[in-house]
Structure formats: structure tokens, C-alpha cells
Amino acid sequence: MDQPYLSLVIPVYNEEANLEPLMERLYPVALEIGRPFEIIFTNDGSRDGSLEILRGMVDDFPGVKVVEFTGNFGQHMAILAAFEASCGEIVITLDADLQNPPEEIPRLVAEIEKGFDVVGTIRRQRQDSTFRRLASRIVNTTTNTITGMQMQDYGCMLRAYHRHVVDNINRCRESTTFIPALAQTFAANPTEIQVGHAERAEGESKYSLYRLIRLNFDLMTGFSVVPLQLFALFGIITAVLSVAFALFLLVRRFIVGAEVEGVFTLFAILFFFIGIIIMGIGIVGEYVGRIYQEVRKRPRFVVRRTYGFEEQ
Ligand code: UDP
Ligand code: MG
């Protein structure tokens, strides 16, 4: 096959039941576009039969390539590894669990061809639990507020990027990241379109509540220091207010005498501030931890082997 025009990037972690149905729908769509393409799967340390299925696909479908990790480095690292291996003019990411309909791909390609460099997507009638939807709404609005970016839906991974955006992402060496937000920082001309969204076809979501919280911390701390600044601001306001309060107590002492009541109110106020302080230490800790990770400069992911790249 010629130099690919389109690179389709798919992270895979324990998705054996989904890979064949995915390929059945994805491959015809890729052929239909009528330009040379590559489909790059990153096997993110799957412990089921996913790798065998993927290796079979490398033999059966021209253009299919596989990057095999030595362990589970996470969805975003899997996408980054495939980005580094990709060479298409247009790079499209999607999930392996058929939540992102492959039939939407031609629309994404069309948007890039119109001149947009990042095409985000908004999930029409999102098929996830109410809890996940509520959590996403909170994340989307807070992320937009504190990073100053404008995107309606950060979570949907069916997205298209122009080569120059992917090249810039490849130059970033950070070890915790969130690709849609990273791409947004390099986008000169982004757009968002609505796409369909289905329930996960087989298997379970790979994100537990804990992993979701971790991921959202990555998103918040990775793209903004506003949480730190807000915290400092809050500290200054509290300090000013407490000086005012102390002055008030001093004056009151001379006029009406020392106060004794309201001790528990004072406790309540104290506990509130202790809570805030612990939260602040936590926020600082999040940043310090990430700085530590970055200065160690460990490899972000380890590739054991690749398949399907040889013929180039
Ligand atoms: N995934 C991955 N590594 C991980 C977790 C997930 O490569 O550690 C892949 C997974 O195989 C799927 C995509 O990332 O293709 C999205 O994962 P999932 O569907 O579990 O997330 P959700 O849709 O629940 O957000
Ligand atoms: Mg999913």
C-alpha cells in the first residue's frame, strides 16, 4: 500500500470479543474512503486473546498494524504510541468497544478536508450510565473554566487530528496526559461535530471510579495551574477576613467584655478551614507527584514488538 493518507488509531485492552465485530464494520468504511490507509492497534497489555486476534488481522487485512506494549500503560499512552508510529495526513482515534460508530469516520475526514485541524465530537444520546454522564458534565465545565479551552465533550475519543497537530503531540514528553486536551492546545482551527454513541458491545468498561478520578486529576493538573492559584487566592482572602475578625473581637472586648459563647460555632469554622487546608495540601501533592514523575524521566511506555510495519 502507498503512503497512508488516513491513520486509524485504536487502543486495545482486553477487548477480544469486540475486535472482530469492530473490524467487520471499520474495514469497509476505510476502503470506501478510497485513499491509502493504515489501522494501528496498540495492545495495551491485554491478558485475554486480543493480541492473537490482532496478529491474525495483520495477516488478513492489508494496512493493519499492531504495536504491542509489555504491560498496561493506559489508554492515552496507547494512543500516543500509535501516534508516533503513524504517518497519515489525517489521524483518527476511536475506541475498540464499538461505542464509537466507525460509520462516522467519513464525516470526520470531510471536516479535516474543509480545513479544520482538530475535529472533536459530541456524543448524541450518550449511552452511558446517568452517573457517568453527570460526572462528565462536571468535568467538561470545570475543565473549560480552569483551562480556558472551549470544548463540549472531552470524553468522546472518536476524534480526528491533522498531521501537524499529531507531530506537535509527538514532541511532548509528558508522562501523564489527556489527548483531547493536549490536541486542543495545538489546534489553530478546531471544530466539534455531533456523532452517534452506542453502548459498549461486549465486556466491561476499563475505568473504575478510582481510575476515572485519576484521569480527571491528570486533566486538571496537566493543563492548568488554576487550582493552585485559586487555593492561594482563597488563603489570602481568609487571612484578610481573619485579621478583620480579630480586630472586631478586640474592639468588642473593650466595649462588651470577653466572649464565651459560640465555642462550637468556632469549632465548626475551624474544621471547615482544616478541611480546606488538607484539600490544598492534596492539590499541591498532585502537582508535586507529577513533577516527580516527570523528573525521573522514565520511559512512558515500553513497546515489546510491532507487527505489520515491516513492509514500509
Ligand atoms: N483502554 C486501553 N487501556 C486501558 C484502558 C482502556 O487501551 O488501560 C482502551 C479500551 O480497550 C477501549 C478504550 O481504551 O478501546 C476505552 O476504554 P473503555 O471503553 O473501557 O472506557 P469508557 O468507554 O468506559 O470510558
Ligand atoms: Mg467504552
Side-chain angles (χ1 to χ4, degrees):
M1 223 179 244
D2 308 332
Q3 160 84 13
Y5 172 68
L6 195 65
S7 300
L8 303 171
V9 163
I10 306 166
V12 175
Y13 179 53
N14 297 343
E15 302 280 7
E16 59 182 359
N18 292 320
L19 292 173
E20 266 148 13
L22 171 72
M23 206 54 175
E24 245 162 61
R25 285 171 59 186
L26 180 66
Y27 208 73
V29 172
L31 286 173
E32 204 179 292
I33 293 171
R35 303 288 298 263
F37 64 88
E38 59 182 356
I39 303 179
I40 307 179
F41 289 98
T42 306
N43 178 42
D44 186 18
S46 301
R47 285 184 296 270
D48 63 357
S50 298
L51 181 66
E52 281 62 50
I53 299 174
L54 291 176
R55 278 164 57 182
M57 286 177 177
V58 173
D59 298 331
D60 298 343
F61 298 92
V64 172
K65 301 165 186 185
V66 174
V67 176
E68 184 197 343
F69 277 0
T70 56
N72 180 237
F73 292 93
Q75 180 186 1
H76 291 266
M77 288 304 133
I79 294 173
L80 285 182
F83 274 5
E84 286 181 12
S86 74
C87 52
E89 186 86 2
I90 301 175
V91 182
I92 292 179
T93 57
L94 69 157
D95 287 349
D97 58 359
L98 283 168
Q99 287 198 282
N100 306 134
E103 293 74 22
E104 303 276 12
I105 290 174
R107 288 180 56 217
L108 293 170
V109 173
E111 290 298 307
I112 296 269
E113 285 173 345
K114 273 186 214 163
F116 296 107
D117 54 2
V118 172
V119 184
T121 47
I122 305 161
R123 289 167 278 198
R124 198 188 308 127
Q125 285 156 10
R126 187 167 165 196
Q127 303 293 317
D128 276 318
S129 65
T130 325
F131 167 73
R132 280 292 290 267
R133 289 210 300 270
L134 182 73
S136 294
R137 172 155 320 161
I138 297 170
V139 169
N140 291 334
T141 28
T142 42
T143 311
N144 279 334
T145 328
I146 67 179
T147 59
M149 299 191 217
Q150 279 310 321
M151 246 199 291
Q152 275 193 44
D153 191 348
Y154 283 86
C156 185
M157 293 308 285
L158 177 62
R159 288 168 174 272
Y161 308 98
H162 190 271
R163 165 71 12 201
H164 81 78
V165 174
V166 173
D167 285 339
N168 280 324
I169 292 177
N170 288 344
R171 286 165 54 202
C172 299
R173 314 273 8 132
E174 59 209 49
S175 54
T176 52
T177 195
F178 194 87
I179 290 164
L182 190 59
Q184 199 70 5
T185 59
F186 296 122
N189 190 16
T191 183
E192 271 186 315
I193 62 170
Q194 288 217 338
V195 294
H197 189 244
E199 276 182 54
R200 175 176 256 281
E202 293 289 337
E204 289 185 341
S205 171
K206 307 297 180 278
Y207 285 100
S208 60
L209 179 62
Y210 175 72
R211 281 189 80 172
L212 273 182
I213 294 174
R214 305 288 327 149
L215 191 70
N216 289 320
F217 270 131
D218 287 346
L219 183 55
M220 300 290 166
T221 58
F223 295 91
S224 156
V225 288
V226 171
L228 282 178
Q229 290 164 346
L230 279 184
F231 193 67
L233 199 69
F234 185 79
I236 293 167
I237 295 170
T238 323
V240 170
L241 287 181
S242 46
V243 169
F245 188 52
L247 282 177
F248 164 74
L249 288 184
L250 191 73
V251 172
R252 188 180 183 273
R253 199 184 178 99
F254 285 121
I255 299 171
V256 279
E259 71 293 331
V260 277
E261 287 153 47
V263 175
F264 287 99
T265 317
L266 207 59
F267 266 122
I269 296 173
L270 194 67
F271 287 150
F272 173 71
F273 285 121
I274 291 176
I276 299 282
I277 290 170
I278 294 176
M279 186 183 93
I281 295 174
I283 294 175
V284 175
E286 285 294 328
Y287 283 95
V288 173
R290 277 167 178 71
I291 294 168
Y292 180 52
Q293 264 176 352
E294 297 301 335
V295 295
R296 276 189 314 207
K297 286 201 167 47
R298 294 208 181 140
R300 300 182 295 172
F301 48 79
V302 184
V303 175
R304 179 180 290 139
R305 265 201 72 174
T306 59
Y307 305 86
F309 289 92
E310 295 79 16
E311 64 264 47
Q312 281 175 12

